[in-house]
Structures are given as C-alpha cells and as structure tokens.
C-alpha cells in the first residue's frame, strides 16, 4: 500500500512538473508570437525581375530587342542565374519571348493584347471611380488635386516619363479611395502593362487627358458615383482608342 501511495505521489509530481513545463512552453510560444517578423532582403531574382520589367516599360529596352543574359547581369551587377530566372518569369507573364536557339527578346505587344487589357482596365476603373465618389474623404480628394497638379506640371514641361508616372499614380489613388482592396489589387496587377501601353501615347493624349482627370476629380468630390463611373469609362475608352490610333 505504501509503495502504491509513493508511486501515485511520484506520478502526480511528474504530471504536475510536466504540466508546468507545458504551460511554461505555451506561455513562451505566446510571447514569441507577438514579435515582429524578420525583415528579409528581396531575392535577387525578384529584384532583377522588377528592374528589367521597368526597363521595358520605360522604353530602355525596346520591343523586339534581344536580351543577352551576360550583358544584363553585368548591367545589374549580379550573376547570370537571377537574370535567367527573371527572364523565365517575364516570359511567363508575357513581357519577354524565349526563342529556341536564339535567346530572349522583348515581347512586341499586339493590338489585340492591348485591346483586351485596356478593355478590362475600363471595367475595373469605372467601378473604382463609382466607389471612390461614395467613400472619398476630404483628405483623399485634396491629394487627388495634388496629383492633378503634378500631372499638369509634367505636361507643361513635356516630360513624358513624368506624365506616365503621374497618370498611373492618380489612377492608383482613385483605386485606393474605392475602399475595395480586392478591386485595388486587380487594378494594381494590370498597372505595369497599362503604363507600357500608355507611354507611347502620353504626349498625344496630352492636355485632353488631364482635362478629363480634372473633371473626374470634380465629380468624385461631388459624390456622384454614377457620373464618376460613366466619366471614368469614357476617359479610359479614349485612352484605348488613342492607343489604336497611334502613328
């Protein structure tokens, strides 16, 4: 009997000790869970992808141009491996064509490709303008006017890159104002392609585009969602038409 009691005491002590250790470990895990995640550097393949994509958008790499891995690697200051991985991803996403035995070339966009993307953009941005008119804060509208002034400044200075950037930033802000993160995310996904297509027509759209932006901001500020949607649809459709009418 005494042996049984001793065994029971030992078992209880062991269970209590084990339970205490489990509780302590659980508390420690909870304490660790509130730490901020570690900062991680962007992988070289991602950095190479971003830079090459922006070089294509900016026209530094022209449609149809041959992309030589070793030259790009030397230009970016990296080995050929991240450049090769970046080119594979750019090929998958339609920025680059990989030709057997010939190498990589900047994709030459077709009118049909551009039409499909710009048509999709119209649908997304018309809805974002409607929601922006409904949800906009005075501070957001004030920022829209700041972006409008930046665009008008680029227009006055005949700054093509400034026009492309200002146009993209203003449209992105309208998407943010919508309050719909899924919609804003979809618009962001097509933003790079839109900037690529917009660059050749930024000057020809010129004052007309920024007059349309000004009118759009006024309608958003008036809280007229339907009118803002209709105006954004007409605005983006004019850009689509201008792309097809380019020389």
């Amino acid at each position: 009997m005494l042996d049984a009691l001793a065994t029971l005491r030992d078992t209880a002590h062991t269970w209590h000790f084990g339970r205490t250790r489990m509780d302590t470990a659980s508390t420690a895990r909870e304490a660790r869970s509130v730490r901020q995640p570690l900062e991680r550097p962007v992988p070289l393949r991602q950095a190479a992808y971003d830079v090459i994509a922006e070089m294509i958008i900016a026209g530094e790499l022209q449609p149809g141009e041959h992309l030589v891995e070793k030259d790009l690697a030397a230009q970016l200051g990296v080995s050929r491996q991240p450049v090769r991985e970046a080119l594979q991803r750019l090929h998958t996403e339609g920025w680059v064509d990989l030709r057997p035995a010939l190498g990589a070339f900047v994709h030459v966009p077709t009118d049909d490709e551009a039409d499909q993307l710009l048509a999709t953009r119209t649908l997304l941005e018309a809805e974002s303008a409607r929601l922006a008119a409904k949800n906009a804060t005075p501070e957001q509208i004030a920022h829209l006017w700041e972006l409008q002034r930046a665009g008008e400044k680029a227009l006055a200075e005949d700054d093509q890159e400034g026009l492309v950037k200002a146009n993209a930033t203003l449209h992105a802000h309208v998407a943010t104002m919508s309050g719909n993160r899924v919609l804003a995310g979809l618009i962001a996904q097509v933003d790079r392609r839109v900037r690529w297509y917009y660059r050749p027509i930024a000057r020809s759209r010129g004052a007309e585009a920024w007059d349309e932006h000004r009118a759009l901001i006024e309608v958003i500020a008036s809280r007229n969602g339907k009118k803002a949607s209709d105006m954004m649809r007409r605005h983006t459709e004019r850009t689509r038409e201008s792309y097809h009418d380019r020389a």
Side-chain angles (χ1 to χ4, degrees), residues 6 13 16 27 37 42 46 50 52 78 104 107-108 144 151 169-170 177 188 194 209 221 228 239:
H13 176 73
H16 176 73
T27 301
V42 176
Q46 177 66 45
D50 289 333
I52 296 171
V78 297
H107 179 66
V108 180
L144 267 184
T169 305
L170 188 146
M177 291 167 65
V194 169
T239 297

Side-chain angles (χ1 to χ4, degrees), residues 213-233:
H213 286 154
R214 177 172 289 277
L216 177 65
I217 296 170
E218 290 171 352
V219 171
I220 289 175
S222 74
R223 307 286 181 174
N224 190 328
K226 184 180 184 309
K227 191 172 181 180
S229 177
D230 291 342
M231 189 169 288
M232 179 67 91
R233 181 174 285 104

Side-chain angles (χ1 to χ4, degrees), residues 2-208:
L2 291 175
D3 290 342
L5 288 173
T7 300
L8 184 61
R9 283 197 303 271
D10 290 344
T11 302
H13 176 73
T14 301
W15 179 87
H16 176 73
F17 179 71
R19 181 67 181 178
T20 299
R21 291 184 64 184
M22 289 174 63
D23 290 344
T24 301
S26 177
T27 301
R29 283 195 299 271
E30 290 172 1
R32 287 197 297 270
S33 68
V34 301
R35 291 178 180 269
Q36 292 295 320
L38 293 175
E39 293 289 339
R40 295 183 178 181
V42 176
L44 282 178
R45 62 180 178 274
Q46 177 66 45
Y49 165 87
D50 289 333
V51 172
I52 296 171
E54 288 300 323
M55 290 169 73
I56 293 172
I57 293 166
E60 188 175 345
L61 297 173
Q62 290 289 315
E65 182 174 342
H66 187 201
L67 302 175
V68 181
E69 279 184 14
K70 64 181 181 61
D71 292 345
L72 286 171
Q75 188 174 359
L76 301 181
V78 297
S79 68
R80 293 175 65 172
Q81 183 61 30
V83 170
R84 184 177 299 116
E85 292 173 353
L87 291 176
Q88 287 286 349
R89 180 179 168 189
L90 289 162
H91 168 65
T92 300
E93 296 180 5
W95 295 95
V96 166
D97 297 327
L98 297 180
R99 303 174 189 171
L102 294 176
F105 297 80
V106 177
H107 179 66
V108 180
T110 67
D111 283 352
D112 188 54
E113 289 171 1
D115 190 70
Q116 289 182 32
L117 184 125
L118 293 174
T120 301
R121 178 209 186 199
T122 292
L123 296 174
L124 295 172
E125 297 216 18
E127 178 63 7
S128 77
R130 184 186 73 81
L131 293 174
K134 176 183 176 182
N135 299 319
T137 66
E139 293 77 15
Q140 288 175 323
I141 292 171
H143 187 52
L144 267 184
W145 285 117
E146 291 176 8
L147 297 175
Q148 173 70 15
R149 288 190 289 273
E152 291 175 344
K153 181 175 183 292
L155 180 65
E157 296 174 353
D158 195 28
D159 178 1
Q160 184 184 46
E161 298 307 321
L163 283 170
V164 173
K165 180 179 178 180
N167 182 74
T169 305
L170 188 146
H171 280 265
H173 188 56
V174 172
T176 299
M177 291 167 65
S178 74
N180 186 321
R181 288 182 292 178
V182 174
L183 180 62
L186 290 172
I187 291 171
Q189 285 181 33
V190 301
D191 170 67
R192 273 182 164 167
R193 206 79 177 194
V194 169
R195 285 191 287 130
W196 194 24
Y197 299 151
Y198 187 74
R199 185 177 180 275
I201 62 170
R203 287 194 177 99
S204 62
R205 280 287 276 143
E208 180 185 59

